[in-house]
Amino acid sequence: MKIGILSSGGDCPGINATIRGVGKTALMHYGMEVIGIHSGFVGLLNKDIEVFNERSLSGILNLGGTILGTSREKPFRKLLASGDSEKPHIIKENYESLGLDCLVCIGGNGTQKTANLLSQLGLNIIGVPKTIDNDIWGTDITFGFDTAVNIATEAIDRLHSTASSHKRVMVVEVMGHHAGWIALYAGMAGGADVILLPELGYDIRKVNEVILDRAHRGKPYSIVVVAEGVSSPGKTRPADYITRAIEETTGIETRETVLGYIQRGGNPSPYDRNLATRLGGHATELISKGEFGRMVCMCGNNVTSTPLSDVAGKLKLVTKEHELIVQGLRMGINFGH
């Protein structure tokens, strides 16, 4: 068999470990041919490829980013909007002319949606979930999430000492447009006093009350962790709005820190390297069995798979019943209400 591998969407720690897991398993265990496709779906449109061998897949396990490059190309966008697009048909033609028996798509929600549409077009597809946001439906965890949480938690840890020394409120904005998983996990691990998530919303008056109450109880500094997707007036960044609102109301000096792309860069954590390796290996196992149109996933401690059609268009969001929120409330942590 001959398989292709591409990575699409935002970069993420653990993509290279996944490429290695898929490629080395295919080459060394199943005797398959493996090609890498550059720049996501753009590379499939342009037939920009390289042939992988064992040597080319060595030394990449610990590397951040992706050796294949990536893009945010969505070949079905125009087709879905107007019913007219050549791109999906070009991809199918190139898939066939390259002699591929399967295409492995490593990516987040948008990538898995495209993967499902390609599967419906008749291509043999396997999806591998990748995002630091951990918001892909159908899997308990995605690789990249653990690394991002570690980075965000370390930043929060470091801000504690500055906040305490200067008696300031520190507002830390982490990634998460629609889902607050990083904010929740890093905020809890970093000992935040207030954690604001897109799913739960917030009342800025309640946040100010918590900060003033802490000051009255002899705790003159606070840590507020904010997901970038929480609401704010106009086009103001959440961290900027919340920082100004806290300082103007409470009179306590307040500073913001926006972690941004730092959370997506650098080497993957050991957990993410192992998770990516397991997911990549299982993707190749599915290919060997001819089980296409599926996304590999983690359920508990087990690697399994789920139909791409069940994943496409869905998000896995934090709910107020999550055990970390329940426990946080019991400990006096405020979630914006």
Side-chain angles (χ1 to χ4, degrees):
M1 299 184 75
K2 185 177 184 181
I3 68 172
I5 308 171
L6 63 78
S7 54
S8 180
D11 66 311
C12 172
I15 297 177
N16 287 323
T18 306
I19 294 169
R20 174 180 176 270
V22 173
K24 282 203 167 187
T25 306
L27 289 165
M28 302 182 70
H29 186 70
Y30 292 106
M32 299 175 181
E33 295 180 67
V34 183
I35 65 168
I37 299 165
H38 297 150
S39 303
F41 294 107
V42 170
L44 201 51
L45 287 165
N46 300 330
K47 295 174 76 170
D48 183 4
I49 67 168
E50 66 174 294
V51 177
F52 279 146
N53 55 39
E54 183 187 353
R55 185 171 182 178
S56 60
L57 293 170
S58 295
I60 66 172
L61 174 65
N62 64 323
L63 298 182
T66 166
I67 62 170
L68 289 174
T70 187
S71 70
R72 295 192 181 275
E73 171 65 43
K74 297 179 179 179
F76 286 89
R77 178 183 293 168
K78 188 176 179 181
L79 178 64
L80 294 173
S82 64
D84 180 29
S85 176
E86 293 183 348
K87 289 182 178 179
H89 302 292
I90 294 172
I91 285 177
K92 185 175 183 180
E93 289 174 3
N94 290 343
Y95 172 95
E96 292 171 348
S97 66
L98 288 168
L100 294 179
D101 295 297
C102 183
L103 177 66
V104 177
C105 300
I106 305 169
N109 292 291
T111 300
Q112 302 310 320
K113 185 176 181 179
T114 299
N116 179 54
L117 292 170
L118 289 174
S119 180
Q120 293 176 8
L121 203 61
L123 279 61
N124 294 333
I125 304 291
I126 295 294
V128 183
K130 167 239 51 163
T131 173
I132 68 168
D133 292 337
N134 197 39
D135 61 353
I136 297 181
W137 191 92
T139 183
D140 290 348
I141 192 167
T142 56
F143 70 82
F145 175 63
D146 182 73
T147 303
V149 169
N150 285 343
I151 292 168
T153 301
E154 181 179 356
I156 296 167
D157 287 346
R158 291 176 182 273
L159 289 169
H160 270 280
S161 57
T162 297
S164 175
S165 298
H166 291 271
K167 297 180 175 59
R168 290 174 177 168
V169 175
M170 304 299 287
V171 177
V172 188
E173 183 179 301
V174 300
M175 282 186 163
H177 279 296
H178 303 289
W181 294 105
I182 296 175
L184 175 60
Y185 273 69
M188 289 295 291
D193 306 295
V194 178
I195 301 172
L196 305 182
L197 313 177
E199 297 92 329
L200 303 185
Y202 67 97
D203 183 339
I204 191 63
R205 294 171 299 179
K206 296 293 185 180
V207 173
N208 288 329
E209 287 175 9
V210 168
I211 289 167
L212 284 172
D213 180 64
R214 283 176 53 79
H216 293 153
R217 289 186 288 113
K219 298 180 177 181
Y221 82 93
S222 297
I223 302 291
V224 180
V225 174
V226 182
E228 64 182 342
V230 303
S231 61
S232 58
K235 296 183 179 180
T236 309
R237 286 194 74 101
D240 181 36
Y241 164 69
I242 292 167
T243 297
R244 287 188 288 105
I246 290 173
E247 184 164 329
E248 289 172 4
T249 300
T250 67
I252 300 173
E253 192 174 7
T254 307
R255 295 290 182 267
E256 68 173 280
T257 299
V258 179
L259 297 185
Y261 290 125
I262 289 173
Q263 297 158 89
R264 284 204 339 221
N267 299 344
S269 67
Y271 178 88
D272 275 339
R273 297 179 200 186
N274 288 328
L275 175 60
T277 299
R278 293 178 68 190
L279 293 174
H282 191 68
T284 312
E285 183 180 344
L286 291 176
I287 295 170
S288 72
K289 294 178 178 178
E291 298 180 13
F292 304 118
R294 303 186 69 81
M295 184 189 78
V296 296
C297 56
M298 286 293 296
C299 291
N301 293 320
N302 299 317
V303 182
T304 181
S305 66
T306 190
L308 280 167
S309 57
D310 288 350
V311 175
K314 297 178 183 178
L315 286 175
K316 183 185 68 180
L317 302 175
V318 180
T319 66
K320 61 183 180 181
E321 293 81 20
H322 191 281
E323 60 184 9
L324 272 181
I325 292 180
V326 173
Q327 180 59 25
L329 290 170
R330 290 171 177 169
M331 297 169 62
I333 296 169
N334 180 266
F335 289 92
H337 299 282

